Amino acid sequence: MLNPSKLKSVDFYRKIPRDLTEASLSGAGLSIVTAFFMMFLFGMELGDYMTVSTTTSVVVDRSTDSEFLRIDFNLSFPALSCEFASVDVGDVLGTNRLNITKTIRKFSIDRNMVVTGSEYHPGHIPHISNIGDVADEEFSDGSVSVTSTNFDVYSHQYPILVVNFFAPWCYWSNRLKPSWEKAAKIIRERYDPEMDGRILLAKVDCTVEADLCRRHHIQGYPSIRIFRKGTDLKDNQGHHDHESYYGERDTDSLVAAMETLVAPIKKESETLALEDKSNKTLTKRPAPLTSGCRIEGFVRVKKVPGNLVISARSNSHSFDSSTMNVSHYVSQLSFGRRLSAEMIEHYLQLVKTEVVTKRASRERKLLEEYEYTAHSSLVHSTHIPVAKFHFEPSPMQVLVTEVPKSFSHFITNLCAIIGGVFTVAGILDSILHNTIRLIKKVELGKHI
């Protein structure tokens, strides 16, 4: 059994009786200052302990996330119609994907980039195999030439007005012309505009009536529009008064399509053609409300240099590059998980950045993203204008590693602060106390 008297001999902190100690006013003031100084240093050390320092290094990208890179974007084109806007991607390995639609959404916008309706749904558009009859014989004009001065008259006079917006220089317009005129002549004979008055086929030369074509947002040639008397309300596209025909372009197919449009309309109809009851046999879709388009969504590309291209695309239409405008506003462009016509190109150098923490003796990723350096240029070209984004993933990555301070280091510094300040304060108190006593002795000697 331990002897208490012997155990007391190892006491490092021997106590001095209170009656042998002396309190002083200078010591009290120094104690208060010392206490506040200790609290200040404690706060500084705690803040430093809570702050995580980082180290940055550039290393070879050996990440195992995947071989594909996700590109999210939100682009607005005030002068490119959703009807023909196409999102394409390609890379240096030869991979090309055209007109991506699965992960893309389109909204019609006006020139102020304000959305004018719900999401634009083009629907299924079949490949057009019959693009027109061969002009192997003379044919007379069967359709009516419409201008900006009489267009509204015809559109309000006939329940169905089908207009071919064409350009004389366009190959597809010239292929359509024979079958269009033949079909118009047949329809005119079957449904006399004066006696029957249910349908009329017309045409507009967009090189002459540029303002009229621009008013109806015509960007590709030929564009066949179906105008209905009155207004036409569609739930999936908001309010509009015309549709686009996307069926076959031979004479028989055109005549059959026109017959389908006329079928639900009574002769000398007393009601307006507000509903088409034969959508199953007529290939058409809502025409664009405005001339602009907002494109948002994402694409997945391989981690190699490549291009993201937005342009006007169609297998059966021509475009006038001199009048097209692909100026755009970039609202979002991010990489990875959560960055003489005119062609605007963007060059982007991609560098992967990771932020890693080593807390709890484990390495854990806090952030993984791609940063990029962008350069844009304006290129003059004779081809169809496009908005092109060149991306080039870098083989290097920026690795940012978090290095938190250990708790033992914090406790050690805390003890050093308390002990050091207390010791220094004690030395200062001793010097101050002895100095005051010395001064008092000198003053007492003078009085004696």
Side-chain angles (χ1 to χ4, degrees), residues 193-435:
E194 300 296 333
M195 302 299 295
D196 189 289
R198 281 182 285 178
I199 187 171
L200 179 69
L201 271 64
K203 58 187 175 184
V204 174
D205 185 349
C206 288
T207 60
V208 178
E209 300 292 336
D211 291 338
L212 179 61
C213 295
R214 192 178 302 111
R215 188 175 109 194
H216 294 288
H217 317 298
I218 303 299
Q219 295 184 358
Y221 310 104
S223 291
I224 301 176
R225 296 286 197 258
I226 304 169
F227 294 86
R228 300 174 183 272
K229 188 176 180 181
T231 59
D232 189 14
L233 298 177
K234 296 292 182 182
D235 293 336
N236 67 334
Q237 193 61 26
H239 175 275
H240 66 91
D241 60 356
H242 60 282
E243 298 157 315
S244 295
Y245 171 77
Y246 273 85
E248 303 293 344
R249 295 178 180 174
D250 61 285
T251 302
D252 294 339
S253 298
L254 288 171
V255 171
M258 300 306 113
E259 294 276 8
T260 303
L261 291 172
V262 176
I265 304 175
K266 297 179 181 180
K267 189 175 181 179
E268 297 181 355
S269 175
E270 296 179 358
T271 59
L272 301 180
L274 298 180
E275 181 180 2
D276 182 5
K277 301 180 180 179
S278 54
N279 286 333
K280 296 182 179 180
T281 58
L282 183 59
T283 305
K284 59 184 178 63
R285 66 182 180 185
L289 299 174
T290 54
S291 59
C293 187
R294 190 181 79 191
I295 305 174
E296 61 182 46
F298 69 91
V299 294
R300 295 185 184 275
V301 298
K302 293 184 178 180
K303 292 182 179 179
V304 295
N307 301 312
L308 170 65
V309 180
I310 292 89
S311 63
R313 179 180 296 277
S314 175
N315 294 326
S316 54
H317 294 80
S318 297
F319 303 96
D320 186 358
S321 60
S322 64
T323 61
M324 296 199 69
N325 182 4
V326 291
S327 299
H328 54 274
Y329 297 86
V330 181
S331 300
Q332 178 194 10
L333 182 62
S334 60
F335 299 85
R337 290 177 294 181
R338 295 192 223 178
L339 247 189
S340 97
E342 294 180 345
M343 177 174 66
I344 300 175
E345 297 185 355
H346 304 269
Y347 298 86
L348 303 108
Q349 178 73 38
L350 307 182
V351 179
K352 187 174 184 179
T353 301
E354 291 184 0
V355 178
V356 179
T357 181
K358 293 185 177 180
R359 289 188 176 183
S361 302
R362 292 187 308 171
E363 188 173 287
R364 183 168 59 90
K365 290 183 181 180
L366 297 181
L367 176 66
E368 181 178 349
E369 65 177 14
Y370 285 82
E371 296 182 351
Y372 61 87
T373 303
H375 304 279
S376 300
S377 62
L378 190 63
V379 181
H380 292 272
S381 170
T382 57
H383 303 289
I384 298 299
V386 302
K388 181 181 291 185
F389 297 82
H390 299 276
F391 54 87
E392 184 177 346
S394 173
M396 309 300 290
Q397 77 173 68
V398 177
L399 183 62
V400 181
T401 305
E402 285 190 350
V403 185
K405 293 182 176 62
S406 64
F407 184 71
S408 60
H409 186 272
F410 170 69
I411 293 298
T412 301
N413 285 355
L414 194 60
C415 292
I417 289 173
I418 297 175
V421 172
F422 189 81
T423 301
V424 172
I427 295 174
L428 292 176
D429 179 64
S430 178
I431 294 174
L432 183 62
H433 181 68
N434 291 330
T435 301

Side-chain angles (χ1 to χ4, degrees), residues 60-97:
V60 177
D61 186 3
R62 294 192 177 93
S63 57
T64 58
D65 47 359
S66 70
E67 61 175 319
F68 292 97
L69 172 65
R70 172 169 169 157
I71 304 178
D72 291 85
F73 55 86
N74 186 332
L75 310 173
S76 297
F77 294 81
L80 178 63
S81 173
C82 289
E83 184 178 16
F84 299 112
S86 173
V87 179
D88 313 325
V89 295
D91 56 45
V92 295
L93 300 181
T95 302
N96 290 288
R97 290 183 293 158

Side-chain angles (χ1 to χ4, degrees), residues 90-110:
D91 56 45
V92 295
L93 300 181
T95 302
N96 290 288
R97 290 183 293 158
L98 305 178
N99 197 20
I100 300 173
T101 58
K102 186 176 182 180
T103 58
I104 304 298
R105 303 176 66 192
K106 300 178 183 178
F107 298 87
S108 294
I109 59 174
D110 58 21

